[in-house]
Amino acid sequence: MRAGLTIGEFATLTHLSVRTLRRYHESGLLVPTTVDPSSGYRYYTAAQIPSAQVIHQLRQLDVPLAEVKQILATDDPLRRTDLVTAHLRRLEDTLDRTRAAVVSLRTLLRTGTEELPVHLRSEPARTVAAIRGTVGVDDVHHWYAAAMAELDAAFPPGERTGAPAGRYANELFTHGSGEMTVFHPVHQPRAAGRIEVLDLPAVELAVTVHTGPHDDIDVTYGRLGGWATTHTLTVAGPIHETYLVGPRDTDESGRWRTEIGWPIFRLTPD
């Protein structure tokens, strides 16, 4: 009686190479049903084909072997779904970073020697409703969305006196973690939940506007920083952003307008 499917046959049926199947056997991920003690030949059964196909698809998605083991070992469908979903989310984040990098490179390649439109502005001291937090660079978008949603709920449009804005500590860019502050200028700032009443000091800024999606906003940052260091005295301080038109206003990314302010020192005011 035949012992089962040879490793070559099983490889053909599952699209997993013989070398890969041997590696999976050694790691305990996919163990043959029987191994001939004299020849060392591995034999599999047809019942193992679905597991092998699942492994193949998960590895196509670059799921680490340790996580593949977890997925196969659990009998809880919700747990399996959570494990796969977590990896898919990581893949989506990677794709987002790749897309942003491609957009930035294309922007850099087509950016000529045209002068960046920059103006200098004195921002007066003001009191705003704000949320602050120390955030890691990988959590920026999630933290920003949650904080802005909380501010929006607390201060409807009729209470606001200007566009929402943010200040971002240099450490966020240089060390991968730093203080983020997002805020609404409103008629009567008040504290609630994470929201605090915050006094912003007066500041001098070199300002430009980034138009369109944020995928290549780093290019605008670089150009503004280059302009500021060439034309002015720059000072240490958080970068300012004002969201004149953004994703919370329209789904048409071509209409987005983000004002970026670079802290500078001016000997004479306007």
Side-chain angles (χ1 to χ4, degrees):
M1 182 176 177
R2 187 175 183 184
L5 298 166
T6 66
I7 192 171
E9 292 170 331
F10 196 72
T12 300
L13 291 170
T14 61
H15 294 176
L16 292 170
S17 70
V18 169
R19 181 179 178 182
T20 297
L21 287 169
R22 287 173 178 158
R23 188 170 73 251
Y24 289 172
H25 179 193
E26 293 166 0
S27 67
L29 182 60
L30 185 61
V31 178
T33 302
T34 59
V35 178
D36 189 297
S38 58
S39 66
Y41 290 166
R42 299 168 173 88
Y43 294 95
Y44 299 82
T45 67
Q48 290 180 285
I49 292 175
S51 293
Q53 291 173 328
V54 169
I55 293 171
H56 177 65
Q57 293 302 323
L58 292 174
R59 293 298 289 153
Q60 287 287 97
L61 293 174
D62 292 326
V63 177
L65 286 178
E67 291 187 22
V68 174
K69 283 185 179 181
Q70 286 182 299
I71 293 168
L72 294 177
T74 181
D75 293 326
D76 183 352
L78 292 178
R79 175 62 177 158
R80 285 198 301 269
T81 299
D82 288 343
L83 288 169
V84 174
T85 300
H87 184 73
L88 292 177
R89 191 176 297 115
R90 290 196 296 272
L91 284 178
E92 289 169 347
D93 290 342
T94 300
L95 289 172
D96 287 342
R97 289 193 295 272
T98 301
R99 186 184 66 250
V102 169
V103 172
S104 292
L105 285 171
R106 285 176 174 166
T107 302
L108 286 168
L109 289 172
R110 68 171 180 263
T111 297
T113 58
E114 71 275 9
E115 187 73 10
L116 183 72
V118 178
H119 69 275
L120 305 183
R121 186 172 75 212
S122 298
E123 194 72 60
R126 50 188 171 151
T127 301
V128 298
I131 294 178
R132 290 188 289 181
T134 299
V135 184
V137 67
D138 291 335
D139 296 323
V140 164
H141 298 297
H142 175 75
W143 186 92
Y144 171 86
M148 275 300 185
E150 189 172 339
L151 286 166
D152 287 348
F155 298 95
E159 296 188 42
R160 305 170 198 167
T161 60
R167 300 193 314 166
Y168 305 102
N170 293 332
E171 290 77 13
L172 184 63
F173 307 100
T174 58
H175 299 304
S177 178
E179 184 172 272
M180 289 180 61
T181 303
V182 293
F183 58 88
H184 273 315
V186 294
H187 291 292
Q188 294 183 325
R190 60 185 180 275
R194 291 190 299 165
I195 300 171
E196 62 179 297
V197 177
L198 183 63
D199 293 321
L200 299 178
V203 64
E204 302 286 341
L205 298 172
V207 177
T208 194
V209 174
H210 174 83
T211 300
H214 297 159
D215 291 336
D216 59 346
I217 197 171
D218 59 317
V219 177
T220 306
Y221 260 83
R223 296 186 68 201
L224 176 61
W227 188 98
T229 55
T230 301
H231 294 81
T232 66
L233 294 174
T234 61
V235 297
I239 297 295
H240 292 237
E241 289 186 359
T242 302
Y243 308 106
L244 305 175
V245 182
R248 289 153 53 251
D249 303 306
T250 176
D251 292 332
E252 297 179 34
S253 60
R255 295 174 55 195
W256 297 352
R257 294 172 63 242
T258 306
E259 187 180 78
I260 306 171
W262 198 281
I264 61 169
F265 177 77
R266 282 201 287 172
L267 296 176
T268 57
D270 287 340

